Amino acid sequence: MTETTSPLATTAPAARDLANAIRALAMDAVEAAKSGHPGMPMGMADAATALFTEHLRYDPANPAWPDRDRFILSAGHGSMLLYALLYLTGYPDIDLDEIKKFRQLGARTAGHPEYGHAAGIETTTGPLGQGISNAVGFAMAEAHLRARFGEALVNHFTYVIAGDGCLMEGVSQEAITLAGHLKLNKLIVLWDDNRITIDGATDLSTSEDVGLRFTAAGWAVDAVDGHDAAAVSAAIARARLATDRPTLIACRTTIGFGAPTKAGKSSAHGSPLGAAEIEGARKALGWPYGPFEIPEAILDAWRAAAKARAAEGKAWGERFLAAPKELQEEFENAFSGFIPAKLIAEINAFKAKISADKPSVATRKSSELALEVINKAVPTTIGGSADLTGSNNTLTKGLGTFAPGSYEGRYVYWGVREHGMAAAMNGMALHGGVIPYGGTFLAFADYCRPSIRLAALMGIRSIFVMTHDSIGLGEDGPTHQPVEQIASLRAIPGLNVFRPCDTVETAEAWAVAVASQTTPSVLALSRQNLPTLRDAHTDVNLTAKGAYELLPAAGGLAEVSLFASGSEVEITVKARDILAHDGIRARVVSVPCMELFAAQEQAYQETVVGNAPCVGVEAGIAMGWEPILGVPTYFVGMDGFGASAPAPELYKHFGITAEAVADAAKAAIGKIG
Amino acid sequence: MTETTSPLATTAPAARDLANAIRALAMDAVEAAKSGHPGMPMGMADAATALFTEHLRYDPANPAWPDRDRFILSAGHGSMLLYALLYLTGYPDIDLDEIKKFRQLGARTAGHPEYGHAAGIETTTGPLGQGISNAVGFAMAEAHLRARFGEALVNHFTYVIAGDGCLMEGVSQEAITLAGHLKLNKLIVLWDDNRITIDGATDLSTSEDVGLRFTAAGWAVDAVDGHDAAAVSAAIARARLATDRPTLIACRTTIGFGAPTKAGKSSAHGSPLGAAEIEGARKALGWPYGPFEIPEAILDAWRAAAKARAAEGKAWGERFLAAPKELQEEFENAFSGFIPAKLIAEINAFKAKISADKPSVATRKSSELALEVINKAVPTTIGGSADLTGSNNTLTKGLGTFAPGSYEGRYVYWGVREHGMAAAMNGMALHGGVIPYGGTFLAFADYCRPSIRLAALMGIRSIFVMTHDSIGLGEDGPTHQPVEQIASLRAIPGLNVFRPCDTVETAEAWAVAVASQTTPSVLALSRQNLPTLRDAHTDVNLTAKGAYELLPAAGGLAEVSLFASGSEVEITVKARDILAHDGIRARVVSVPCMELFAAQEQAYQETVVGNAPCVGVEAGIAMGWEPILGVPTYFVGMDGFGASAPAPELYKHFGITAEAVADAAKAAIGKIG
């Protein structure tokens, strides 16, 4: 037998050979891009090979198969691991060309995996801890849909690869403890236990017994040599048998495995290895092929493995067709993302009743009333609150509790885990088949902001119910009083921020939010009671226009326009009366959603803004109002933090009153000051 | 012996009686305020009594004694526990009148403890998880100062009372694992293990073995009956003996202890108990006194206990006076909060050298250069990074590592714990004697936003070094590219957000930040190289004015003013040249800090803004620029998320170029479009 440079010349590729294909692509793509993270893909290539060739159920030819297993690369900087896998297994979106264009403008192969760029990318990761927390939501959605539709239609695993960074982030602890509590046995996390972070060895900054921490959270814990694909595969097989707990598999790995001088070091993490190091790695790995060259035998082996893994998809298709027609329809409706058409009529009926009854309630209560309608009409909503159910008014009758081992309920008690909740909600939305909404106080939007941002970046339907939306919450004081949160949420691109003024607008906001398949929403809701201002019913969803004239000027052209959102619209209505008494004609414009208003046609916007001087009122900072109000800006609101006192006193103390608005209006039109 | 309604009539008050005084005040104050949280103070009264009468070293007559033990009420909603303790032990700021004004406008006794309202309130708490994370910073500051000044001057404990909510928040996990890693043996946490959250029993949302989790994090764990003051005291005594780990003491308690029907239930948590329940509690507790009535014997006993605890303060004073004069001075300088006067001269020398050398470096590198000067001149700085040391450029020569058991170093490897870092930095700043700064990527400001907000609310000197401040970071893509972060940080009241354009401005920003004793700062710094634009030296700190004319119009009055911050100032300078070529006179205004600019006198602001049409340039959203630029707003920047590609391509792709700025300028002055 002659010497051969390739171990593959005469035998079928071994798992290590398959893994080396990942390593080589990662090295080469990072080198070509002159930036990126080779270390993690090289370290986890063996474990990923075990997962993708022996366990994960997926079908590159049918990547949206609803019952596929989900794979989440929580350590998103290792994106080349995912791209290499998608190419090797034959996902059409990622061909070799895309790999070569890694990190270039317009490529599907962005620096971090971006949801929507290619089939097979289940979520956007990169901000650490988000992926593993998304995964908990994926597993929750799976569990719920399994309970709803039965195991024949829904029965899949959620697999995660997470690094030390993911596990050090607080959000992951929230998600992990929730997953353990909920007994999400179909969630399996492969931890890339390489003991290296950017700054150096992990023992520079942590000494935690990670396994014990997961045990404390109710997980099964396993540990293997991450470079022994067979051992990893066996551990996954064991994990799949768990019946009452998720599993953590610690995969002991060497970052940059194969790199002659950088393996096991921080230097392998986030920079190209360099030509010499790559040459050395090729030798050490027994990989004599050129850059981006994958020998046919290895590509064939990968494709064959993928084909084998896809077989389940065909079996599922048969099961689906064998299911009762009604169930098929329900299933398809759920995964279509569309909401039942009847909802619009029901929301309109609700609006009509409210306009007639004119209740005076807090918009958080209005939200509950609207949710009673929505949750009845839309079977895919899953609600919850981060331990503020009675304050957020997120629970409606008959939802049932999503409880450990009993997942048919549609209400989640998230615990005091705002960030974990938001990240898991994103996972639910990404999974499909459910529409998640979850509540906390608006001040604590800050706690979940990284996940809200990702929802916006991904364009997914996560709905955040955020109550106690101003100093109107009263005595709890400045730590709990949003002042800058509404502005700072409006700053996030691609997020609809609603601040409705009464029950009708709240119902309209909800109608938009549940129908917005590609836009997340925040509903900022009052603690305090507000009158019904929309007392003349119309089927038109005025909130969907973002802003509209609520009250015209009486007795002629408006001399001044008063703009407000939420709880301050009532104040502008009173100010309009004061001004009328003083002989000044004022109109009132309600602005429940600036983003939707900015999306209207120019002509509509101009009509609503009008030609009269403008005054804005909101119990928050002025930032963000200037495009509507102009500069200099006449604005009645907050310019610092709040205080602890009963709400009515605070409104007086901070000068957010009808009298102050009337004064500002007079100033704006030059009649005083 | 006749029957007596009071157990105190004939004997010295027992610990339970002292604790009942807390309970009664909490019930009464919440009832009078018609809002608040009686359950936690009633549950933890016995444990707090044990701590305040037998362990905590404090002196109500000298509350700022630097070596006092620190007490952090992490479960801030239980504020009446703290206020009751401060009153009973004789802190002059909190008299009975203040207790009666609980949660009223202007009272020191806000709904949640507000730092600065009264001596004895060491930090603002309420947002859950913050206090315990602050406490880790307190303990770090203590450890460092102990290493620096010796045990005779610094040797105190940090005690925390935390609830289930604090422990469920992810931020606390970050802090806990760090504290364990760092072996902070003088940190002792009393966990109010009452098994109740707002939504119900904790087992509704968590099943975690909390003790095991802390064990995994390297803590000592103890568990006692939280209503047995002697047992709690013994546990604290044991904890104080720990030499290489912090201690968690699980205090098993009943929320609302004493309330006849609400004890042990969520209903005791966050609402007044009601007259009947209070009457029943008074009976059950054997507390026959009227509302707000504390019998003399009990008040005397509390005051006597406080006096005993204060004895250590006097001993410390003697030790301090016995210390070498030089050490005394150094100590006083450190705790004064002032920075050495020589720093200004050194910064000016650095600026002069830079203006002459004109280096082209990234402002993150400029920051490192400035820090080399500052860290040498200011011995109280403690730097660090959340695992991005080499990227944030936060480490300077000779700082040394703040390491487990060896605390003299001034650099902290925070690990991948942005939120924990920021919260602990706040604790360090609050402790005094140190000036903390810490780094992460600007995009991940979102991860630590709740703590940044609290730094601003408290008015403390936490300095956040946030690099990679725009699409200029390039290939890592939209998850890592700040777009809305600068605007959303500017939205936080009381926070200085600096975005310097070159090394000189970076040094000036640092000079302001380290000297701002009552204002936190964010420095937004570029990844990419920037030229030195400030090439004419002046000793005046122009950045301290927030904005200033960098370049006047050449050849006459300006026809247009170009405003920019950070990396885009260079672009406006180039645009000015393009415009000059086209015969248009443009001036350039650098805007390194909008908050400081807004604080200048009106006349200065008007001069800087000028009378010409304005164009703004920033690689972020326009929000926040309108007050300077006017409406309609001519702005060159971002209006959505970024993308993954090399930075120069991204600037072109998103149209943030000198040509685009010149075009915008022409549009602004009506010369095109």
Side-chain angles (χ1 to χ4, degrees):
Chain A
M1 196 172 156
T2 56
E3 196 187 343
T4 168
T5 51
S6 163
L8 307 176
T10 55
T11 56
R16 174 57 57 82
D17 304 314
L18 299 187
N20 283 342
I22 298 172
R23 292 190 172 95
L25 288 172
M27 287 193 297
D28 294 343
V30 170
E31 198 68 13
K34 300 197 191 79
S35 82
H37 301 79
M40 188 281 209
M42 295 174 77
M44 283 299 281
D46 300 304
T49 299
L51 177 61
F52 272 70
T53 61
E54 301 192 347
H55 295 282
L56 194 76
R57 301 184 322 162
Y58 61 105
D59 185 354
N62 183 18
W65 162 32
D67 197 35
R68 70 192 180 277
D69 288 340
R70 304 302 198 274
F71 171 68
I72 313 292
L73 185 69
S74 190
H77 54 274
S79 55
M80 267 310 304
L81 178 75
L82 179 56
Y83 301 146
L85 286 163
L86 296 181
Y87 164 60
L88 293 168
T89 56
Y91 279 80
D93 287 345
I94 304 289
D95 56 19
L96 200 54
D97 228 48
E98 283 290 340
I99 302 276
K100 290 179 183 169
K101 290 190 296 184
F102 180 52
R103 294 181 151 238
Q104 303 310 303
L105 196 61
R108 296 176 188 275
T109 46
H112 292 82
E114 302 284 343
Y115 175 71
H117 276 212
I121 301 175
E122 301 281 6
T123 180
T124 294
T125 51
L128 294 174
Q130 296 292 331
I132 187 172
S133 307
N134 293 160
V136 172
F138 273 94
M140 290 170 72
E142 189 272 345
H144 174 72
L145 294 167
R146 178 156 35 93
R148 183 173 169 203
F149 291 110
E151 294 196 354
L153 296 196
V154 182
N155 192 11
H156 58 264
F157 285 88
T158 302
Y159 294 98
V160 179
I161 287 182
D164 289 295
C166 289
L167 301 190
M168 290 174 82
E169 291 285 2
V171 62
S172 70
Q173 175 69 5
E174 297 180 18
I176 289 161
T177 53
L178 183 69
H181 168 71
L182 290 173
K183 303 184 187 300
L184 299 175
N185 62 307
K186 299 180 83 72
L187 173 63
I188 298 173
V189 174
L190 305 178
W191 167 36
D192 179 15
D193 179 16
N194 64 23
R195 304 189 190 177
I196 290 292
T197 68
I198 292 173
D199 275 356
T202 49
D203 64 11
L204 196 62
S205 59
T206 194
S207 310
E208 193 189 20
D209 182 334
V210 172
L212 198 60
R213 165 187 170 199
F214 275 79
T215 301
W219 288 54
V221 175
D222 208 337
V224 293
D225 173 356
H227 296 301
D228 181 344
V232 173
S233 185
I236 296 173
R238 285 192 294 274
R240 289 172 56 176
L241 297 176
T243 56
D244 67 345
R245 56 192 60 214
T247 298
L248 174 79
I249 302 173
C251 301
R252 184 71 182 93
T253 63
T254 300
I255 190 171
F257 181 88
T261 73
K262 296 186 176 178
K265 295 180 188 157
S266 295
S267 54
H269 167 78
S271 314
L273 295 179
E277 188 78 6
I278 289 178
E279 199 191 317
R282 286 192 135 79
K283 277 205 186 107
L285 295 169
W287 187 265
Y289 318 108
F292 300 109
E293 184 190 341
I294 305 295
E296 212 178 302
I298 289 184
L299 194 60
D300 286 352
W302 264 113
R303 299 282 160 96
K307 204 157 197 176
R309 301 308 316 146
E312 270 288 338
K314 287 166 192 64
W316 181 87
E318 284 159 22
R319 286 200 302 277
F320 183 77
L321 292 174
K325 270 276 166 289
E326 198 177 277
L327 198 68
Q328 289 186 33
E329 249 173 55
E330 267 187 52
F331 185 90
E332 284 179 335
N333 283 343
F335 274 87
S336 76
F338 292 106
I339 52 170
K342 65 176 176 182
L343 180 66
I344 293 174
E346 291 176 9
I347 288 280
N348 279 329
F350 173 75
K351 280 169 56 182
K353 184 171 172 355
I354 291 294
S355 294
D357 293 352
K358 303 179 194 53
S360 180
V361 293
T363 48
R364 61 184 169 128
K365 180 68 183 175
S366 308
S367 171
E368 179 188 328
L369 298 173
L371 279 170
E372 291 282 4
V373 177
I374 290 167
N375 286 339
K376 219 168 143 188
V378 186
T380 47
T381 53
I382 294 193
S385 165
D387 197 42
L388 289 167
T389 294
S391 298
N392 299 145
N393 296 69
T394 34
L395 177 61
T396 62
K397 279 184 278 300
L399 280 188
T401 299
F402 183 93
S406 163
Y407 305 114
E408 63 278 22
R410 290 164 59 197
Y411 194 79
V412 182
Y413 290 97
W414 291 100
V416 188
R417 301 183 181 98
E418 299 85 3
H419 200 175
M421 172 180 77
M425 283 168 58
N426 288 351
M428 288 177 151
L430 288 160
H431 181 281
V434 296
I435 302 175
Y437 71 85
T440 184
F441 287 158
L442 180 60
F444 304 139
D446 286 357
Y447 271 76
C448 36
R449 190 170 172 88
S451 301
I452 298 175
R453 183 182 208 244
L454 282 167
L457 177 60
M458 291 190 274
I460 58 175
R461 180 170 42 188
S462 296
I463 304 174
F464 304 99
V465 181
M466 298 191 154
T467 68
H468 297 59
D469 69 349
S470 74
I471 53 167
L473 73 81
E475 293 89 342
D476 274 346
T479 54
H480 286 51
Q481 289 163 356
V483 165
E484 76 283 21
Q485 275 76 8
I486 294 171
S488 68
L489 289 167
R490 286 177 182 146
I492 298 177
L495 174 70
N496 284 337
V497 180
F498 295 95
R499 190 161 184 261
C501 73
D502 70 359
T503 306
V504 173
E505 277 194 3
T506 305
E508 291 179 338
W510 264 113
V512 178
V514 293
S516 296
Q517 294 198 35
T518 58
T519 310
S521 299
V522 170
L523 280 81
L525 304 168
S526 77
R527 178 194 184 198
Q528 70 272 36
N529 285 349
L530 302 174
T532 298
L533 298 172
R534 286 276 298 281
D535 51 6
H537 175 68
T538 167
D539 274 358
V540 180
N541 186 326
L542 295 174
T543 298
K545 296 176 183 291
Y548 61 92
E549 187 176 85
L550 178 70
L551 289 174
L557 273 180
E559 293 168 87
V560 64
S561 294
L562 310 178
F563 297 79
S565 82
S567 44
E568 284 67 69
V569 178
E570 175 190 11
I571 290 174
T572 59
V573 171
K574 287 181 185 157
R576 178 175 171 272
D577 292 342
I578 294 174
L579 289 165
H581 184 263
D582 294 346
I584 297 169
R585 296 183 304 276
R587 59 196 276 273
V588 170
V589 176
S590 180
V591 189
C593 182
M594 285 192 185
E595 297 76 23
L596 291 174
F597 183 56
Q600 302 304 306
E601 287 182 4
Q602 190 71 12
Y604 177 77
Q605 291 188 44
E606 286 172 6
T607 308
V608 171
V609 173
N611 299 312
C614 299
V615 174
V617 195
E618 191 169 74
I621 59 171
M623 183 186 269
W625 277 94
E626 297 92 345
I628 291 175
L629 304 178
V631 172
T633 309
Y634 293 89
F635 183 78
V636 175
M638 300 288 292
D639 56 11
F641 293 108
S644 170
E649 284 182 48
L650 290 174
Y651 269 86
K652 263 181 230 157
H653 176 72
F654 289 107
I656 306 176
T657 62
E659 292 72 22
V661 175
D663 287 348
K666 289 171 188 170
I669 62 179
K671 292 214 171 162
I672 60 163
Chain B
M1 195 173 154
T2 56
E3 194 187 343
T4 168
T5 50
S6 164
L8 308 177
T10 55
T11 57
R16 174 57 55 82
D17 303 315
L18 299 187
N20 283 343
I22 298 172
R23 292 189 172 97
L25 288 172
M27 287 193 297
D28 293 344
V30 170
E31 198 68 15
K34 301 197 190 81
S35 81
H37 302 79
M40 188 282 210
M42 296 174 77
M44 281 300 280
D46 299 304
T49 300
L51 176 61
F52 272 70
T53 60
E54 301 193 346
H55 296 281
L56 194 76
R57 300 185 322 163
Y58 61 105
D59 184 355
N62 183 17
W65 162 32
D67 196 37
R68 70 192 180 276
D69 288 341
R70 303 302 197 273
F71 171 68
I72 313 292
L73 185 70
S74 190
H77 53 272
S79 55
M80 266 311 304
L81 178 74
L82 179 56
Y83 302 145
L85 286 163
L86 295 182
Y87 164 60
L88 293 168
T89 55
Y91 279 80
D93 287 346
I94 304 289
D95 58 18
L96 200 56
D97 229 47
E98 283 292 338
I99 302 276
K100 288 178 182 169
K101 290 191 297 185
F102 180 52
R103 294 181 152 237
Q104 303 309 303
L105 195 60
R108 297 175 188 276
T109 47
H112 292 82
E114 302 285 341
Y115 175 70
H117 276 212
I121 301 175
E122 301 281 5
T123 181
T124 294
T125 51
L128 294 174
Q130 297 291 331
I132 187 172
S133 307
N134 293 160
V136 172
F138 273 95
M140 290 171 71
E142 189 273 342
H144 174 73
L145 294 167
R146 177 156 35 93
R148 183 174 169 202
F149 291 108
E151 294 197 354
L153 295 196
V154 182
N155 191 12
H156 59 262
F157 285 88
T158 303
Y159 294 98
V160 178
I161 287 182
D164 289 295
C166 289
L167 301 190
M168 290 173 83
E169 292 285 1
V171 62
S172 70
Q173 175 69 6
E174 297 181 18
I176 289 161
T177 54
L178 183 70
H181 168 70
L182 291 173
K183 304 185 187 299
L184 300 175
N185 61 308
K186 299 180 81 73
L187 173 63
I188 298 173
V189 174
L190 304 178
W191 166 36
D192 179 15
D193 179 16
N194 64 23
R195 305 191 189 175
I196 290 292
T197 68
I198 292 173
D199 275 357
T202 49
D203 64 10
L204 197 62
S205 59
T206 193
S207 309
E208 193 190 19
D209 182 335
V210 172
L212 198 59
R213 165 187 170 200
F214 275 78
T215 301
W219 287 53
V221 174
D222 207 337
V224 293
D225 173 357
H227 297 301
D228 181 343
V232 173
S233 185
I236 296 173
R238 286 192 294 275
R240 289 172 57 178
L241 299 176
T243 56
D244 67 346
R245 56 192 60 215
T247 299
L248 175 79
I249 303 172
C251 302
R252 184 71 181 94
T253 63
T254 299
I255 190 172
F257 181 89
T261 73
K262 295 186 176 178
K265 295 182 188 157
S266 294
S267 54
H269 167 79
S271 313
L273 294 178
E277 187 78 6
I278 289 179
E279 199 189 318
R282 287 191 135 79
K283 278 208 186 105
L285 296 169
W287 188 265
Y289 317 107
F292 299 108
E293 184 190 342
I294 305 295
E296 212 178 300
I298 289 184
L299 193 59
D300 286 351
W302 265 112
R303 298 283 159 97
K307 206 159 196 175
R309 299 308 316 145
E312 272 288 339
K314 285 165 194 66
W316 181 87
E318 284 157 23
R319 285 200 303 277
F320 182 76
L321 292 175
K325 269 276 164 291
E326 198 178 277
L327 197 69
Q328 287 185 34
E329 249 173 55
E330 266 187 52
F331 186 90
E332 283 178 337
N333 284 343
F335 274 88
S336 76
F338 291 106
I339 51 169
K342 66 175 176 181
L343 181 66
I344 292 175
E346 292 177 8
I347 288 280
N348 278 330
F350 173 76
K351 280 170 55 183
K353 184 172 170 1
I354 291 293
S355 293
D357 293 353
K358 303 180 192 56
S360 180
V361 293
T363 48
R364 61 183 170 130
K365 179 68 182 174
S366 308
S367 170
E368 181 187 328
L369 298 174
L371 278 171
E372 291 282 5
V373 177
I374 290 168
N375 286 339
K376 220 168 143 188
V378 186
T380 46
T381 53
I382 294 193
S385 166
D387 198 41
L388 289 168
T389 294
S391 298
N392 298 145
N393 295 69
T394 33
L395 178 59
T396 61
K397 280 184 278 301
L399 279 189
T401 299
F402 182 93
S406 164
Y407 305 115
E408 62 279 21
R410 289 165 59 197
Y411 194 80
V412 182
Y413 290 97
W414 290 100
V416 188
R417 301 184 181 98
E418 299 86 5
H419 200 175
M421 172 179 75
M425 283 169 59
N426 288 351
M428 288 177 149
L430 288 160
H431 181 281
V434 295
I435 303 175
Y437 71 86
T440 184
F441 287 158
L442 181 60
F444 304 138
D446 287 357
Y447 270 77
C448 36
R449 190 171 172 87
S451 300
I452 299 175
R453 182 183 208 246
L454 282 167
L457 177 59
M458 291 190 272
I460 58 174
R461 180 170 42 186
S462 297
I463 305 175
F464 303 99
V465 181
M466 298 191 154
T467 69
H468 297 60
D469 69 349
S470 74
I471 53 167
L473 73 83
E475 293 89 342
D476 274 348
T479 54
H480 286 51
Q481 290 164 354
V483 165
E484 76 283 20
Q485 275 76 7
I486 294 171
S488 67
L489 288 168
R490 286 177 181 146
I492 298 178
L495 174 69
N496 284 337
V497 181
F498 295 94
R499 190 162 184 261
C501 72
D502 70 359
T503 306
V504 173
E505 277 194 2
T506 305
E508 291 179 338
W510 264 114
V512 177
V514 291
S516 297
Q517 295 198 34
T518 58
T519 311
S521 300
V522 170
L523 279 81
L525 303 169
S526 77
R527 178 194 183 197
Q528 70 272 36
N529 285 349
L530 302 174
T532 297
L533 299 172
R534 286 278 297 283
D535 51 7
H537 175 67
T538 167
D539 274 359
V540 180
N541 187 324
L542 295 174
T543 298
K545 297 176 180 294
Y548 62 92
E549 187 176 86
L550 178 69
L551 289 174
L557 274 180
E559 294 168 87
V560 64
S561 295
L562 309 179
F563 297 80
S565 81
S567 44
E568 287 67 61
V569 178
E570 175 189 11
I571 290 174
T572 59
V573 171
K574 287 182 183 157
R576 178 173 170 273
D577 293 341
I578 294 174
L579 290 165
H581 185 264
D582 294 346
I584 298 170
R585 296 183 303 276
R587 59 195 277 271
V588 170
V589 176
S590 180
V591 189
C593 182
M594 286 193 185
E595 296 77 22
L596 291 175
F597 184 57
Q600 302 304 308
E601 286 184 3
Q602 189 73 13
Y604 177 77
Q605 291 187 43
E606 286 173 7
T607 306
V608 171
V609 173
N611 298 311
C614 300
V615 174
V617 195
E618 191 168 74
I621 59 172
M623 184 188 268
W625 277 93
E626 298 90 346
I628 292 175
L629 303 177
V631 172
T633 309
Y634 293 89
F635 183 79
V636 174
M638 300 288 292
D639 57 9
F641 293 108
S644 171
E649 285 184 48
L650 290 174
Y651 270 86
K652 265 181 229 156
H653 177 73
F654 289 107
I656 305 177
T657 61
E659 292 73 23
V661 175
D663 287 348
K666 290 171 188 172
I669 62 179
K671 292 214 173 164
I672 61 164

